[in-house]
């Protein structure tokens, strides 16, 4: 169990009948020529394979998934400044799926997170090999992955895609960006004020495909209140366009998860459509 600020989020109550996970997502390609975000939920890659066939009139692709514990959810964002960003993010999710396919029903969150870490390491190798076969082109992707089991959840992240917890009307970022801006801030060399959401100097210091003597990602463990917690995974196209308070306002409106995810992407694209924008909302249900 971990405390976030002054609040404590308790472990999942498994005494209720048939607790399960619901995941609802949305994505928009923006002005990018490619959809470089890849979304993984309940054992399925939801993007980019079905983008062309399932996008709505507003250009937003939406998804609804449901599964029992354990559940693995992820967003990978191919690096737009590198070649083949769409391939990198797809390779990342494909290797994550290979590692997490057919997880035992009663797996512990520690064991599931270990499979996620293994998938990330294999993805790193696969992307490096693919880059070499493409003449040494730079390839890479971010990844944020959520493992949810009966005994809690863990977050594994590399790059600057993020995971947020929304509970008790409070939005908390559970991840830390692997960026040059964050590194400078950690060293105390940056001004005291926070970076603005549209800050453009966030070059990545770590990413999947970097191939730096084997990639090791240590998951962070969290527990949360099953009745009030909503977990949000997103690519940087969303949170760089919307401030945390704007995201919280949408989450607090009381709409369905489908309406909420669509609204988040619509607002981010209307504010700044230079990048792909993707979100995945995950919640535990008791029914």
């Amino acid at each position: 169990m971990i405390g976030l600020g002054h609040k404590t989020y308790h472990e999942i109550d498994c005494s209720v009948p048939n607790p399960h996970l619901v995941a609802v997502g949305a994505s928009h390609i923006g002005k990018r020529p490619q959809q470089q975000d890849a979304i993984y939920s309940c054992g399925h890659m939801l993007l980019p394979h079905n983008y062309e066939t399932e996008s709505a009139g507003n250009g937003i692709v939406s998804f609804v998934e449901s599964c029992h514990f354990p559940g693995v959810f992820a967003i990978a964002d191919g690096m737009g400044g590198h070649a083949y960003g769409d391939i990198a993010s797809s390779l990342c999710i494909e290797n994550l799926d290979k590692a997490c396919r057919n997880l035992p029903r009663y797996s512990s969150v520690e064991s599931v997170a270990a499979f996620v870490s293994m998938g990330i390491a294999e993805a790193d190798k696969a992307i490096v090999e693919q880059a070499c076969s493409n003449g040494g082109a730079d390839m890479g992707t971010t990844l944020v992955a959520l493992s949810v089991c009966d005994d809690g959840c863990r977050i594994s992240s590399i790059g600057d895609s993020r995971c947020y917890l929304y509970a008790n009307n409070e939005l908390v970022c559970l991840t830390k960006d692997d960026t040059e801006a964050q590194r400078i801030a950690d060293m105390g060399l940056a001004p005291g004020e926070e970076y603005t959401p549209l800050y453009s100097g966030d070059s990545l210091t770590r990413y999947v495909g970097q191939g730096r003597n084997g990639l090791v990602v240590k998951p962070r463990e969290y527990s949360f209140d099953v009745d009030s917690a909503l977990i949000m995974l997103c690519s940087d196209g969303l949170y760089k366009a919307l401030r945390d308070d704007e995201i919280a306002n949408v989450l607090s409106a009381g709409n369905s998860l489908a309406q909420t995810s669509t609204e988040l992407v619509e607002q981010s694209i209307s504010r700044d459509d230079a990048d792909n924008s993707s979100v995945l909302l995950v919640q535990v249900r008791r029914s």
Side-chain angles (χ1 to χ4, degrees):
M1 184 180 299
I2 187 166
L4 298 176
H6 62 283
K7 298 183 183 296
T8 300
Y9 299 90
H10 303 285
E11 64 185 35
I12 297 171
D13 180 4
C14 299
S15 63
V16 299
N18 300 318
H20 64 282
L21 296 155
V22 173
V24 179
S27 182
H28 194 288
I29 195 171
K31 288 184 176 178
R32 283 283 172 87
Q34 296 174 322
Q35 175 56 268
Q36 296 187 328
D37 290 353
I39 298 179
Y40 182 73
S41 174
C42 294
H44 303 105
M45 182 190 286
L46 305 178
L47 273 181
H49 295 314
N50 63 354
Y51 182 82
E52 295 297 332
T53 59
E54 297 191 13
S55 60
N58 58 4
I60 294 178
V61 186
S62 58
F63 327 95
V64 179
E65 296 283 311
S66 179
C67 60
H68 291 285
F69 300 123
V72 176
F73 310 88
I75 290 181
D77 181 0
M79 294 166 62
H82 286 197
Y84 311 107
D86 57 330
I87 297 175
S89 60
S90 294
L91 278 173
C92 184
I93 294 300
E94 287 169 3
N95 279 272
L96 180 66
D97 177 54
K98 288 179 185 177
C100 298
R101 193 176 299 162
N102 301 321
L103 291 169
R105 171 68 177 85
Y106 296 102
S107 299
S108 68
V109 69
E110 182 177 1
S111 65
V112 174
F115 280 109
V116 169
S117 295
M118 180 174 65
I120 294 173
E122 290 302 312
D124 188 63
K125 294 178 185 177
I127 293 171
V128 170
E129 290 173 0
Q130 184 68 45
C132 290
S133 68
N134 289 332
D138 287 332
M139 290 178 62
T141 182
T142 70
L143 178 72
V144 58
L146 165 68
S147 306
V148 186
C149 297
D150 291 342
D151 56 340
C153 71
R154 290 194 179 183
I155 310 297
S156 306
S157 69
I158 180 166
D160 62 354
S161 291
R162 289 182 179 177
C163 178
Y164 290 84
L165 174 68
Y166 182 73
N168 300 309
N169 298 314
E170 183 180 9
L171 184 69
V172 180
C173 185
L174 302 182
T175 50
K176 190 172 185 178
D177 296 342
D178 292 312
T179 61
E180 185 66 17
Q182 185 63 57
R183 185 187 71 83
I184 292 173
D186 289 344
M187 294 172 63
L189 301 179
E193 62 271 11
E194 295 181 356
Y195 290 101
T196 65
L198 296 179
Y199 178 74
S200 61
D202 293 336
S203 57
L204 297 179
T205 56
R206 292 202 316 158
Y207 54 89
V208 186
Q210 201 167 12
R212 187 179 291 175
N213 297 323
L215 184 62
V216 177
V217 176
K218 184 178 180 181
R220 300 180 66 187
E221 183 174 3
Y222 297 93
S223 296
F224 54 89
D225 185 342
V226 67
D227 290 325
S228 61
L230 176 65
I231 294 189
M232 183 183 84
L233 307 181
C234 65
S235 61
D236 66 338
L238 188 131
Y239 72 77
K240 285 183 178 178
L242 300 177
R243 300 189 310 270
D244 283 4
D245 65 304
E246 293 173 320
I247 294 172
N249 285 339
V250 177
L251 296 175
S252 66
N255 294 321
S256 68
L257 293 186
Q259 290 174 304
T260 300
S261 62
T262 299
E263 178 69 16
L264 285 168
V265 171
E266 282 182 340
Q267 286 197 20
S268 67
I269 290 297
S270 67
R271 183 76 57 80
D272 181 6
D273 62 356
D275 197 1
N276 307 150
S277 178
S278 300
V279 64
L280 190 61
L281 303 176
V282 182
Q283 194 170 52
V284 177
R285 297 281 175 85
R286 290 176 176 267
S287 59

